[in-house]
Amino acid sequence: MTAANGRPIAGGGARDIAADTVAAVVRQWQAVHPDLDTGPMEVIGRINRCAALLQQAEDAPLRHAGLTRSEFDLLGALRRTGLELTPGELARETFSSGAAVTKRLKQLTERGLVERRGDTRDRRVAHVRLTDAGRDLVDGILPEQLSYETTVLSGLAGTGQRELAALLGDLLVQLEGRLPAPRV
């Protein structure tokens, strides 16, 4: 079995394992423990390495706008839902901790990108909405950010991107709680 780029993929027969940095790690483990199946390491190791490299690149368009990915995710959640959201709802939407959301909201409020208003029935609850400046910023950055991400993925053919997205989607469904917890 081969990937869209013509290279053999794990589980698909002979594999050119000199192709990336994870391959060297796998070769070393195979030398130490030839009896162990390193297939999971080939997948998880590559996902982790890709995530680390993508995080190091730090999304150039966002950086140019003075935003972190996490801040953009908060602004994006408000923009795509079109609703006022509580900090707790924003935490769920962005897979962040409440403390992290609170810190980011403080910074975004100081920059005039979001506004907070108290709940009329419960003063402990705040509702957050985008300001016009926040909406304009998100709408201005999103096309540029998507173009940047397209460039990052340009080495994969369209079919390869769709296959990878589907496979990662399947994995994500399992990791988001639909997979039984391993027995310890």
Side-chain angles (χ1 to χ4, degrees), residues 2-9 155-157 160:
T2 60
N5 63 4
R7 288 186 3 196
I9 59 173
L156 295 174

Side-chain angles (χ1 to χ4, degrees), residues 30-157:
Q30 288 173 339
V32 173
H33 287 291
D35 55 318
L36 294 180
D37 175 13
T38 57
M41 186 181 296
E42 292 182 52
V43 174
I44 302 298
R46 286 186 176 95
I47 289 171
N48 286 338
R49 181 72 177 135
C50 286
L53 290 170
L54 287 169
Q55 204 156 32
Q56 282 177 9
E58 196 55 44
D59 302 315
L62 300 180
R63 191 172 57 246
H64 290 247
L67 291 173
T68 65
R69 169 57 85 169
S70 301
E71 290 169 335
F72 183 73
D73 287 346
L74 285 177
L75 296 172
L78 290 165
R79 181 66 174 121
R80 74 176 185 268
T81 63
L83 303 171
E84 288 186 350
L85 298 173
T86 66
E89 290 167 333
L90 280 167
R92 284 187 294 282
E93 283 286 327
T94 60
F95 314 108
S96 302
S97 71
V101 167
T102 298
K103 179 182 175 185
R104 291 178 195 129
L105 286 175
K106 181 178 186 281
Q107 294 165 338
L108 294 170
T109 301
E110 289 170 358
R111 291 180 59 189
L113 301 174
V114 299
E115 294 176 335
R116 299 173 74 136
R117 74 167 178 83
D119 190 273
T120 55
R121 292 176 290 200
D122 186 346
R123 294 192 325 209
R124 296 171 297 173
V125 177
H127 297 274
V128 181
R129 73 173 193 88
L130 280 177
T131 62
D132 290 341
R135 185 175 25 265
D136 290 346
L137 182 63
V138 171
D139 289 349
I141 290 176
L142 186 58
E144 187 179 349
Q145 182 63 27
L146 289 172
S147 176
Y148 172 78
E149 291 175 2
T150 298
T151 300
V152 167
L153 295 173
S154 65
L156 295 174

